[in-house]
Amino acid sequence: MEDVSALLLGAGALLVSLTSLLGIVELATIRTIRPPKQRTFSHIRHAATQYQTIFAPALAALVSGLFVSLSASFFYASLTSEQDSWHQAAGPVAFIGGMVALAATLWSALKSVGEPAELARDPFTIRAAADESAANPRHRALDPDFLTQQLDDWAKHISTHSLNLSAKASSPRLDQSLNRAAQEHGFWLPVLYSLDIYRAALLEFPVRFSGPLLSFALFAGGTVCFAVDFAGPESTTSSRPWAATALFMTVGAALTVFYCTTRGNRARLWHRIHLVALDDARQAIDRARAAHESVASEDALLRRVLGSADGFLQQKQGAPETDTRVIFRLGRFRVSIDADSSQGTFA
């Protein structure tokens, strides 16, 4: 029983220590929480194209080459060895693994390469696309209506984005906690709101956020079992084992709460950045739509002018020829002027 108690206590202490280490990392990297550097959409497309067409294929070739080299080594070992061994099966397996790794990497990297719609998927890239569309509406990469739809779809899952989760889920409770916490400044209120954010995230995603609590539960159970085994018959008469148990459990609870607070605070800060980015992106889309409507009005006016001119020219060409000669009579004299030849005659 003592071995089981020691094992539970050791495993729980290790997990709680790891949790506190993650909290320290969250606290130490808090200054890195800032919006990405503002870039033009053309630069974003160029960087994505370079990654998809140069870096990713080179990485895929490197990984597949490693598997092929291992496969060749296994083939050579199986051919030179007199006894049958696992090298004979390892060669084909390594070769197939290299081909699968190459195909998977190239498929994920080259999928939708060069498509602007695949890049405008968050407020920062959507704003860059809208600014480029407003600056050059006649050669815009994406339509303002499409950008609005992309932004609305992203805003539906803003809470999961602030928590850095890949799951696309909507949670009014989590949205409310994040919106309320993002407006607070100072120290104590943000701490309380950060805990509330973690509580809401735990209720919505228990599998993803229950790890620290399970670690503390394991640590607390191991501490109690170890205290009972250590105290033995004196567990009912001496309070020293229980005082030590309470102390250890308090430390473990404090470390767990510390991590939950720092994790919730990171989500709070990112949510504040995301709310500002949403407003900026909507304003950029409005500017792009206004520029698009202005260009559409100019094009419509130009079409009307060209249509009127074409109709006038067609009417002029179809009109009958008229006599352009002008005649003046002065007594016995008659003056005639031909407008086409600009010549006059006297009679």
Side-chain angles (χ1 to χ4, degrees), residues 192-205:
L192 297 177
Y193 283 134
S194 298
L195 285 174
D196 183 66
I197 290 172
Y198 196 90
R199 178 193 62 82
L202 178 64
L203 295 176
E204 293 295 331
F205 309 100

Side-chain angles (χ1 to χ4, degrees), residues 30-334:
I30 194 173
R31 293 187 177 275
T32 62
I33 302 177
R34 59 173 61 94
K37 183 179 179 181
Q38 188 173 354
R39 301 178 297 173
T40 63
F41 194 65
S42 298
H43 186 272
I44 294 174
R45 292 180 61 185
H46 180 69
T49 302
Q50 281 189 332
Y51 173 81
Q52 292 175 318
T53 58
I54 298 177
F55 178 78
L59 181 62
L62 179 64
V63 174
S64 62
L66 176 62
F67 277 95
V68 171
S69 299
L70 291 175
S71 175
S73 300
F74 290 136
F75 276 125
Y76 178 79
S78 63
L79 292 175
T80 57
S81 178
E82 297 181 356
Q83 298 180 355
D84 295 334
S85 63
W86 56 274
H87 296 96
Q88 296 180 355
V93 170
F95 184 80
I96 295 174
M99 296 300 100
V100 171
L102 177 63
T105 305
L106 291 180
W107 180 82
S108 61
L110 300 180
K111 181 179 62 175
S112 301
V113 60
E115 290 293 334
E118 296 294 329
L119 299 177
R121 53 179 177 263
D122 57 63
F124 309 104
T125 54
I126 291 174
R127 177 188 177 183
D131 288 337
E132 188 172 279
S133 179
N136 193 2
R138 296 188 182 276
H139 299 85
R140 62 187 184 277
L142 297 173
D143 188 76
D145 294 334
F146 174 78
L147 294 178
T148 301
Q149 180 182 357
Q150 289 287 95
L151 190 64
D152 292 340
D153 292 340
W154 189 92
K156 292 179 182 178
H157 315 110
I158 185 174
S159 297
T160 56
H161 293 301
S162 298
L163 287 168
N164 196 24
L165 299 178
S166 58
K168 292 184 177 181
S170 300
S171 172
R173 174 171 46 194
L174 189 56
D175 292 342
Q176 183 180 3
S177 299
L178 284 168
N179 290 333
R180 183 172 60 247
Q183 308 301 326
E184 296 296 334
H185 297 272
F187 181 77
W188 291 112
L189 282 179
V191 167
L192 297 177
Y193 283 134
S194 298
L195 285 174
D196 183 66
I197 290 172
Y198 196 90
R199 178 193 62 82
L202 178 64
L203 295 176
E204 293 295 331
F205 309 100
V207 177
R208 294 175 180 267
F209 291 91
S210 60
L213 300 183
L214 294 177
S215 300
F216 172 71
L218 182 63
F219 176 73
T223 302
V224 172
C225 292
F226 189 80
V228 171
D229 293 338
F230 181 78
E234 300 179 356
S235 60
T236 58
T237 58
S238 176
S239 60
R240 302 172 76 179
W242 302 113
T245 301
L247 178 61
F248 278 106
M249 293 181 65
T250 301
V251 173
L255 294 177
T256 304
V257 170
F258 170 70
Y259 169 75
C260 296
T261 303
T262 55
R263 183 68 175 85
N265 185 60
R266 173 175 288 272
R268 180 183 71 89
L269 296 178
W270 270 117
H271 193 71
R272 181 188 298 173
I273 293 174
H274 288 158
L275 291 177
V276 176
L278 276 177
D279 293 338
D280 294 340
R282 295 190 191 281
Q283 293 176 8
I285 292 176
D286 291 339
R287 292 193 298 269
R289 182 173 287 108
H292 174 65
E293 293 175 354
S294 176
V295 169
S297 300
E298 292 177 1
D299 293 342
L301 178 60
L302 182 60
R303 286 192 297 268
R304 289 197 299 269
V305 171
L306 293 177
S308 300
D310 184 65
F312 177 77
L313 293 176
Q314 291 180 358
Q315 182 180 4
K316 189 68 176 176
Q317 291 177 357
E321 295 183 359
T322 57
D323 189 7
T324 58
R325 180 176 296 177
V326 181
I327 301 175
F328 297 94
R329 293 182 179 271
L330 297 175
R332 297 175 58 183
F333 298 97
R334 185 179 65 180

